[in-house]
DNA sequence: GGATCGATCGGCT
DNA sequence: GCCGATCGATCCG
């Protein structure tokens, strides 16, 4: 049985964690069955200055997990009907998290399709709300410790992508100021059919990742 | 492939 | 009241 990714992995600058999460396996134990997928797309949200982050207005009841210790889940409801999964990064007190935007399906695919209402395989986990539905991730996982041996949701090291296989682009669906709009804090596996977002971003957006030193 | 629109509700202004 | 880190259906080219 592969080991769960430890808390020290998440206790680092968010841009580094985001890039390193590509290739990791997200595992959900659902009614005794492993449902999993390989992470192929993420977005980083960090700091009070990030106008696209839920933490931009300071701590609230909703965004509290973002201010908490690393290695926990921050799950929120959006548009009154969809859930999104974030992985909390950086030391406690600094608001930061990585949004998981797309997976390459690996285990329990038939069960995942059932949870998705029989939608096509290609649409199974392509998008942050779709993957939550496929892995049965909802509000109950908000604040969940992903590094605990008892957790029903965790991460495992799986594939490791070389730098040239990883591309970046501005984040999808953000509304903040010019800086937030242009910040290349979305990372994805170049050319993967499992990546979400507008095709335009996935073509033009293919450029080298910024160094982690760009953070802050 | 791209644009538009409706669904639906918790958390903030 | 307002609006969103989205999705799916529908229309168009």
């Amino acid at each position: 049985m592969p080991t769960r990714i430890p808390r020290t992995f998440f206790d680092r600058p968010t841009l580094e964690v985001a890039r390193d999460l590509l290739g990791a396996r997200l595992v959900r134990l659902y009614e005794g069955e492993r449902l999993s997928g390989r992470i192929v797309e993420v977005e980083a949200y960090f700091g009070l200055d990030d106008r696209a982050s839920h933490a931009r207005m300071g701590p609230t009841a909703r965004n509290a997990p973002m201010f908490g210790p690393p290695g926990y889940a921050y799950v929120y409801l959006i548009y009154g009907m969809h859930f999104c999964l974030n992985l909390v990064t950086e030391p406690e007190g600094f608001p930061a998290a990585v949004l998981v935007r797309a997976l390459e399906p690996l285990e329990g695919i038939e069960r995942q399709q059932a949870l998705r209402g029989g939608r096509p395989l290609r649409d199974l986990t392509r998008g942050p709300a779709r993957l939550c539905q496929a892995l049965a991730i909802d509000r109950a996982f908000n604040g969940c410790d992903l590094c605990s041996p008892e957790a029903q949701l965790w991460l495992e090291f799986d594939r490791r992508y070389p730098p040239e296989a990883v591309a970046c682009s501005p984040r999808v669906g953000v509304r903040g100021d010019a800086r937030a709009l242009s910040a290349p804090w979305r990372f994805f596996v170049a050319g993967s059919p499992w990546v979400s977002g507008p095709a335009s971003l996935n073509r033009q957006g293919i450029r080298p990742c910024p160094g982690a030193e760009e953070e802050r």
Side-chain angles (χ1 to χ4, degrees):
Chain A
M1 174 128 169
T3 56
R4 303 185 180 202
I5 294 184
R7 199 175 314 284
T8 51
F9 175 90
F10 299 99
D11 193 6
R12 294 185 296 146
T14 305
L15 291 178
E16 288 182 21
V17 177
R19 270 180 314 176
D20 292 348
L21 276 168
L22 294 178
R25 183 181 299 228
L26 180 65
V27 185
R28 161 79 159 107
L29 195 60
Y30 180 73
E31 295 178 351
E33 182 180 3
R34 276 175 64 108
L35 311 181
S36 76
R38 186 178 291 125
I39 296 176
V40 294
E41 180 188 352
V42 295
E43 284 176 357
Y45 292 85
F46 56 97
L48 295 166
D49 296 337
D50 182 353
R51 309 311 288 174
S53 170
H54 287 174
R56 66 188 178 281
M57 304 304 288
T60 66
R62 181 206 199 191
N63 64 24
M66 289 189 73
F67 288 82
Y72 284 72
Y74 166 44
V75 179
Y76 64 89
L77 177 70
I78 189 166
Y79 298 110
M81 63 184 93
H82 303 305
F83 293 102
C84 292
L85 169 68
N86 291 259
L87 315 176
V88 176
T89 59
E90 311 225 25
E92 181 168 7
F94 184 81
V98 174
L99 171 68
V100 182
R101 285 198 56 93
L103 305 175
E104 173 183 344
L106 293 174
E107 299 167 275
I109 291 177
E110 286 188 6
R111 174 61 68 97
Q112 294 187 45
Q113 281 189 295
L115 286 163
R116 286 276 297 133
R119 302 210 166 262
L121 179 63
R122 184 175 150 74
D123 292 340
L124 193 60
T125 51
R126 199 164 48 89
R130 289 167 171 170
L131 72 88
C132 280
Q133 191 175 33
L135 298 192
I137 296 168
D138 61 15
R139 251 190 136 65
F141 285 91
N142 190 39
C144 164
D145 182 0
L146 304 170
C147 305
S148 159
E150 287 85 37
Q152 307 287 295
L153 182 68
W154 67 91
L155 291 111
E156 297 173 359
F157 292 114
D158 187 357
R159 177 173 296 183
R160 200 166 163 77
Y161 291 105
E164 59 269 22
V166 177
C168 72
S169 81
R171 294 169 292 184
V172 175
V174 311
R175 299 249 191 271
D177 56 13
R179 180 165 170 271
L181 286 172
S182 62
W185 295 338
R186 169 177 178 257
F187 302 92
F188 57 101
V189 176
S192 168
W194 305 106
V195 166
S196 78
S200 57
L201 266 191
N202 294 337
R203 287 191 301 267
Q204 304 168 13
I206 294 182
R207 41 182 159 127
C209 301
E213 65 276 4
E214 226 175 271
E215 182 162 6
R216 304 212 182 87

